[in-house]
Amino acid sequence: MFKTVVKAFVVGSSMMVPGVSGGSMAMILGIYDRLIDAVPNLFVKNKRAEAFKFLAAFTVSALIGIILVAKPLEILITRYSLQMSYLFLGAVLGTIPMMVKKAGSKGFDFISLFWILLGAIAVFSIAYIPEGLFSPEGSSSIFGLLFQFLGGVLVSIGLVLPGISTSYLLLVLGLYEPIIKALDSYNFLFLLPISIGLVVGILALTKLLQIAMRKYPKPSFMMILGFLLASLKEIYSGFPSGLMILLCLLLLSVGFIIVYMLSKVEEQEEAKVV
């Protein structure tokens, strides 16, 4: 449980990092699979207590991480955006060996590359969603409320799938500013249809992912790898110059090695359980 709390704290701390989704960090830390299993297991009688205990510990620790670390991390990224971007780039690239192994693949064959490309295209296609499509104009009508509900369902994709930024989805859908205003004015009634859509989306998506990762591990994990690789576009801050090249390459290597070693530790722990 201690490791769960620490990992959740890191996930929460990184959720405000531009281009880094909570799902990405959960995948990097090797806790993503457990999260996907835990949500549907809340509705399974003999697994409910354990799933609730895990999710409660994870949620509380992640919230603490957001409160305590998000702001200092944001300042650090603002001051050293180029250096930090290469550290995160290395971290994302460090997930590749782990994802390939989870997919049960020995390398990148044509089929693997197809699923990776499909995942990347899915992330890039978000940019083509009509801007402000789910903005709350006319929200008092049934049609407006339905659109907010659907907006909440779409936002859940950013919370569940790695590589898809929740804040970016909110901006594209036209929900970011209205939600901030509603929170500032304590207008929780406005947030109700979005929240319901969010919960429904999370429950449905985690169940689908749970089934997919068990029955079709190769397509599932290769598509998730595609999501992660597509997120590199949001993280990348440009090419360094001069001595900064060496520092950025060093940070890239550090990010890769840390995540790679974490994945190895996770593999050893899973082997002991089996």
Side-chain angles (χ1 to χ4, degrees):
M1 185 58 70
F2 175 74
K3 288 183 180 179
T4 297
V5 169
V6 172
K7 289 179 179 181
F9 183 86
V10 176
V11 170
S13 303
S14 63
M15 284 185 73
M16 299 305 291
V17 177
V20 179
S21 69
S24 297
M25 190 54 64
M27 182 63 74
I28 287 169
L29 295 175
I31 200 171
Y32 185 79
D33 302 38
R34 286 192 67 191
L35 279 169
I36 293 301
D37 283 336
V39 176
N41 285 347
L42 287 172
F43 302 94
V44 180
K45 190 175 181 180
N46 61 332
K47 297 181 179 179
R48 186 177 299 150
E50 184 181 349
F52 179 80
K53 183 181 177 181
F54 169 77
L55 287 173
F58 184 92
T59 303
V60 171
S61 185
L63 286 172
I64 293 172
I66 291 172
I67 294 167
L68 295 182
V69 183
K71 190 62 179 178
L73 188 60
E74 186 181 358
I75 294 170
L76 191 64
I77 291 168
T78 302
R79 291 182 180 177
Y80 307 102
S81 59
L82 188 63
Q83 297 92 320
M84 292 298 291
S85 73
Y86 275 84
L87 181 66
F88 285 114
L89 284 171
V92 173
L93 292 173
T95 63
I96 294 175
M98 174 184 67
M99 297 297 290
V100 172
K101 188 161 186 177
K102 283 181 178 290
S105 180
K106 294 182 179 179
F108 293 103
D109 52 23
F110 176 78
I111 299 299
S112 299
L113 293 173
F114 168 78
W115 290 115
I116 291 171
L117 182 62
L118 192 62
I121 290 171
V123 174
F124 291 138
S125 65
I126 293 171
Y128 295 96
I129 297 175
E131 194 170 340
L133 181 64
F134 295 91
S135 58
E137 294 179 7
S139 59
S140 58
S141 66
I142 296 297
F143 187 73
L145 292 172
L146 178 61
F147 255 54
Q148 288 182 63
F149 169 81
L150 291 174
V153 173
L154 287 176
V155 171
S156 71
I157 295 172
L159 288 172
V160 176
L161 294 180
I164 301 177
S165 171
T166 306
S167 56
Y168 177 66
L169 267 176
L170 287 170
L171 285 168
V172 170
L173 298 174
L175 291 171
Y176 188 86
E177 287 188 16
I179 287 176
I180 294 297
K181 288 179 181 177
L183 289 171
D184 287 341
S185 60
Y186 303 104
N187 184 9
F188 298 116
L189 188 61
F190 165 78
L191 297 172
L192 187 60
I194 298 173
S195 301
I196 293 172
L198 193 66
V199 172
V200 170
I202 289 172
L203 292 175
L205 196 54
T206 49
K207 185 61 181 177
L208 286 172
L209 276 172
Q210 185 187 47
I211 295 169
M213 288 192 295
R214 287 179 179 176
K215 292 189 175 182
Y216 311 103
K218 186 169 184 175
S220 300
F221 283 104
M222 285 300 167
M223 278 192 73
I224 291 173
L225 180 56
F227 299 153
L228 286 169
L229 293 178
S231 72
L232 294 176
K233 178 178 176 291
E234 295 298 319
I235 301 171
Y236 180 66
S237 295
F239 194 78
S241 59
L243 292 175
M244 190 63 71
I245 295 175
L246 294 175
L247 178 59
C248 288
L249 286 175
L250 176 62
L251 290 169
L252 182 78
S253 302
V254 168
F256 183 93
I257 291 169
I258 289 173
V259 172
Y260 181 76
M261 294 307 295
L262 282 172
S263 67
K264 285 296 181 184
V265 171
E266 197 71 24
E267 284 177 19
Q268 290 173 1
E269 290 181 356
E270 288 177 0
K272 287 178 183 178
V273 172
V274 175

